[in-house]
Amino acid sequence: MKFIGGKWKTVILVHLTDGTKRYNELRKMIPLVTERTLSLQLKQLEEDGLIKRIVYTSKPPLKVEYSLTEFGKTLSHVLDEIRKWGIQTANTLENIEMTE
């Protein structure tokens, strides 16, 4: 839980299992997270060695990309199961609400 605890860390990691993302892509994929929270969570994930941050400064505009490290990729199976559970739970809750 030290590595994936917190409201948004798992969500960020799930999105990064699909490949490298820029900061703004993550913001659009997770619209409910604030910019400050996203930045803090990304920094913590980087400090924990789960993601890597690459800054491209060779030509404007500044470009920052995030991707899973090899250590982060070891969570892929767990994250996939969490994603499946979330989809199943959302579908179940939707069905319950529709029958009420």
Side-chain angles (χ1 to χ4, degrees):
M1 291 311 295
K2 172 191 181 300
F3 296 107
I4 61 170
K7 185 173 181 177
W8 299 107
K9 285 183 180 179
T10 305
V11 176
I12 293 166
L13 291 169
V14 165
H15 285 297
L16 291 176
T17 59
D18 296 333
T20 301
K21 302 283 186 291
R22 293 180 68 176
Y23 178 84
N24 283 333
E25 287 179 282
L26 290 169
R27 282 280 298 136
K28 289 175 186 171
M29 292 175 161
I30 316 168
L32 297 177
V33 68
T34 65
E35 287 192 38
R36 182 177 187 277
T37 300
L38 179 59
S39 294
L40 288 172
Q41 297 287 279
L42 288 167
K43 185 174 184 173
Q44 289 174 356
L45 289 166
E46 183 183 10
E47 288 172 357
D48 289 339
L50 293 172
I51 65 171
K52 60 184 168 187
R53 177 181 185 258
I54 300 173
V55 180
Y56 297 93
T57 58
S58 58
K59 60 180 182 177
L62 180 70
K63 179 176 158 182
V64 180
E65 291 183 336
Y66 296 91
S67 59
L68 294 178
T69 62
E70 288 304 313
F71 178 52
K73 289 176 184 176
T74 63
L75 281 170
S76 292
H77 178 69
V78 173
L79 295 170
D80 189 47
E81 291 300 317
I82 290 171
R83 182 190 327 212
K84 287 177 189 174
W85 178 85
I87 291 168
Q88 181 181 12
T89 302
N91 290 337
T92 301
L93 292 176
E94 185 177 294
N95 289 337
I96 290 171
E97 289 174 7
M98 290 175 70
T99 60
E100 290 180 345

